[in-house]
Amino acid sequence: MNTFLVIVNIAILLAIIIGLYIMQKKHVTFSKRVFAGLGLGILFGIIIHLIYGTSSEVTDTTIQWFNIVGSGYVSLLQMIVMPLVFISIVAAFTKVTVSKNLGKISFYGIGILLVTTGIAAAIGIGAALGFGLEGVQLQAGDAENARIESLTERVATVEGMTIPQQILSFIPTNPFADLAGSRSTSTIAVVIFASFIGIAYLGVRRKQPEQAELFAKIVESFYAIVMRIVTLILRLTPYGVLALMTKVAATSDYAAIMNLGKFVIASYVALIAMFLVHLLMISVAKLSPVTFVKKALPALTFAFTSRSSAGTLPLNIKTQTDGFGVSPGVANFVGPFSLTIGQNGCAGIYPAMLAVMVAPTVGINPLDPGFIISLILVVIIGSFGVAGVGGGATFASLIVLSVLNLPVAIVGLLISVEPLIDMGRTALNVSGSMTSGVLTGKITGEFDEKVYNEKGGLDDVVEA
């Protein structure tokens, strides 16, 4: 009987996929198909949850089959992430106009990411204090205790490293191993390696222009191929979002979410507040925040459902270049760097909230200005090297809490609501990345405001 029910669920998913494909054939825009997948996924997931429960055999088996579509799509994006990070950084150096502005682009791109992370930390602190969140209010169950035990090794690793040692871990000793993602800091190591290649190219261009020109053409060809692969994968976004959202809605522990509802609400208030800060910064740059939201929504939607900033990188860069009019050089520089530096949600808001919640348990007044300033600075520094995949917030929190000598067990106490909050955090990470790209492009003159204001953009590119 269970097998029959699983087959029925799979048939329904396939029917919805066919429906989304028909929408594509009828030239319904990419954005609308993504939101259709999102809405139908939530509805289908809730129905599965209500009929079969969260952890029944039917639900578990059904989700395993659905993962072929959802997790398979994320895997395809992750497949292209390291090649895209590498070639994007190198390509940023081979662009003549970008080379002239490289110092400014580096300064403003990274600077905006770090500044917004500091603002996010301040908002996280305010949310925790405003909602009166306290770590002593959290109770550990079996799942929480298991999570705390699993964090023991990571805590030992983090506590055993000073900040200088953590910085040293970013330096690539084996670029090929890092291209394979063998370390938690592999992404930033690849960024550093690609930057060295780019700097070497600039030196060769001055002394051996013919060789440099050949290298630039090779890079341009490689970049074109990688971006074409990205476009092909992005066409699967509505189906991936459908399966991912169905899984989230079907397997979420709604009772646990209700028990920790105050923390969930406070987290999303902080996330929304920081997103409004992004829109305010866009407005200050004399650009329409409404246009920003409309064109960013497909990328933000995927980030929300996938919980992977790295997986969203291809969509992030495409949105910046083809939707917002940011030059490829700026987008290719800021996008990859934002995976490891200045993640507003995972490395900014979340660690700051946890630190405020546990500070009273060790006799620290969370309202102490010295503590608040120290916390914000540690959050900014700790944001370096945070992996842009699910679990990055956990690592960032361990770093911040360990440096401040605060209890780290609270990280394990929130396991039941971690996926729900991580969805919002990841979307905010990507929003911060795109905000930095747009503002950096505008400041350095690497920005086409006509493209920003016109309709189409990403929809047209994905369909091309």
Side-chain angles (χ1 to χ4, degrees):
M1 182 63 179
N2 287 346
T3 301
F4 173 75
L5 294 174
V6 170
I7 292 174
V8 170
N9 291 336
I10 295 173
I12 294 173
L13 181 72
L14 291 175
I16 298 174
I17 289 175
I18 292 172
L20 291 173
Y21 181 73
I22 292 173
M23 291 175 65
Q24 178 182 344
K25 286 299 182 181
K26 291 185 177 181
H27 304 292
V28 176
T29 64
F30 177 73
S31 301
K32 290 180 180 178
R33 285 185 281 118
V34 169
F35 280 104
L38 176 68
L40 292 171
I42 293 174
L43 179 61
F44 189 25
I46 291 175
I47 292 173
I48 292 175
H49 178 85
L50 293 175
I51 296 176
Y52 307 110
T54 303
S55 56
S56 68
E57 182 181 348
V58 173
T59 300
D60 289 342
T61 306
T62 296
I63 296 304
Q64 288 180 29
W65 283 99
F66 286 10
N67 281 340
I68 295 176
V69 179
S71 299
Y73 174 64
V74 175
S75 296
L76 286 174
L77 282 169
Q78 291 174 337
M79 169 192 73
I80 200 66
V81 165
M82 283 303 186
L84 180 59
V85 168
F86 175 77
I87 198 62
S88 294
I89 294 294
V90 176
F93 283 86
T94 61
K95 309 288 184 182
V96 177
T97 56
V98 174
S99 298
K100 295 178 180 178
N101 287 331
L102 191 58
K104 290 183 179 179
I105 291 172
S106 304
F107 176 78
Y108 287 110
I110 296 175
I112 292 171
L113 288 172
L114 295 179
V115 169
T116 53
T117 300
I119 295 173
I123 290 176
I125 293 170
L129 293 173
F131 279 83
L133 300 179
E134 297 179 7
V136 295
Q137 297 173 345
L138 303 177
Q139 297 181 352
D142 293 338
E144 286 77 13
N145 287 326
R147 175 64 181 275
I148 291 172
E149 290 180 8
S150 70
L151 291 173
T152 302
E153 184 177 346
R154 295 189 74 177
V155 172
T157 301
V158 173
E159 289 182 336
M161 295 177 64
T162 63
I163 290 181
Q165 289 174 329
Q166 293 173 28
I167 294 174
L168 280 175
S169 70
F170 302 156
I171 299 175
T173 55
N174 186 341
F176 298 101
D178 285 320
L179 282 167
S182 61
R183 302 186 297 155
S184 60
T185 56
S186 285
T187 304
I188 195 169
V190 169
V191 169
I192 293 172
F193 177 58
S195 298
F196 269 100
I197 291 179
I199 293 171
Y201 161 79
L202 296 179
V204 171
R205 191 179 65 178
R206 288 194 299 269
K207 298 180 179 180
Q208 299 170 288
E210 291 183 2
Q211 285 83 348
E213 183 180 357
L214 175 61
F215 178 77
K217 289 182 178 178
I218 293 173
V219 170
E220 185 178 352
S221 298
F222 186 24
Y223 180 76
I225 294 297
V226 170
M227 292 309 293
R228 186 58 186 173
I229 295 174
V230 167
T231 301
L232 294 174
I233 296 174
L234 290 183
R235 290 178 178 175
L236 303 174
T237 300
Y239 315 113
V241 168
L242 166 67
L244 290 167
M245 209 64 226
T246 301
K247 176 182 178 180
V248 170
T251 59
S252 292
D253 188 344
Y254 294 102
I257 292 173
M258 291 297 293
N259 291 335
L260 291 171
K262 188 177 181 181
F263 179 77
V264 174
I265 293 172
S267 297
Y268 270 90
V269 166
L271 293 170
I272 293 171
M274 189 61 209
F275 182 64
L276 293 176
V277 170
H278 292 165
L279 297 185
L280 177 62
M281 296 173 74
I282 294 295
S283 298
V284 171
K286 297 182 180 179
L287 298 171
S288 169
V290 175
T291 300
F292 180 88
V293 172
K294 286 182 178 179
K295 293 192 173 184
L297 272 177
L300 298 181
T301 300
F302 176 72
F304 186 82
T305 54
S306 69
R307 297 168 51 205
S308 173
S309 299
T312 313
L313 179 63
L315 196 52
N316 179 350
I317 292 178
K318 275 289 187 181
T319 300
Q320 289 193 47
T321 56
D322 302 305
F324 295 145
V326 177
S327 74
V330 173
N332 292 338
F333 185 88
V334 175
F337 265 96
S338 70
L339 297 184
T340 55
I341 295 176
Q343 293 191 353
N344 292 182
C346 290
I349 287 176
Y350 192 66
M353 290 182 68
L354 298 190
V356 170
M357 291 172 65
V358 299
T361 64
V362 293
I364 297 177
N365 180 6
L367 293 173
D368 179 21
F371 169 74
I372 292 176
I373 293 173
S374 298
L375 174 56
I376 293 175
L377 291 176
V378 169
V379 165
I380 293 174
I381 296 172
S383 72
F384 284 80
V386 176
V389 296
T394 297
F395 188 66
S397 299
L398 291 176
I399 292 175
V400 171
L401 296 176
S402 298
V403 171
L404 295 174
N405 294 317
L406 296 173
V408 299
I410 188 173
V411 178
L413 296 177
L414 298 168
I415 181 175
S416 56
V417 295
E418 179 75 12
L420 178 62
I421 297 173
D422 197 37
M423 295 164 74
R425 290 193 308 238
T426 308
L428 186 66
N429 293 343
V430 175
S431 174
S433 172
M434 291 191 288
T435 299
S436 178
V438 170
L439 295 180
T440 300
K442 186 77 184 294
I443 293 171
T444 59
E446 299 284 342
F447 180 75
D448 190 338
E449 193 164 341
K450 181 179 178 181
V451 173
Y452 183 92
N453 291 321
E454 68 185 9
K455 295 181 179 180
L458 188 62
D459 287 335
D460 296 336
V461 173
V462 173
E463 303 300 343

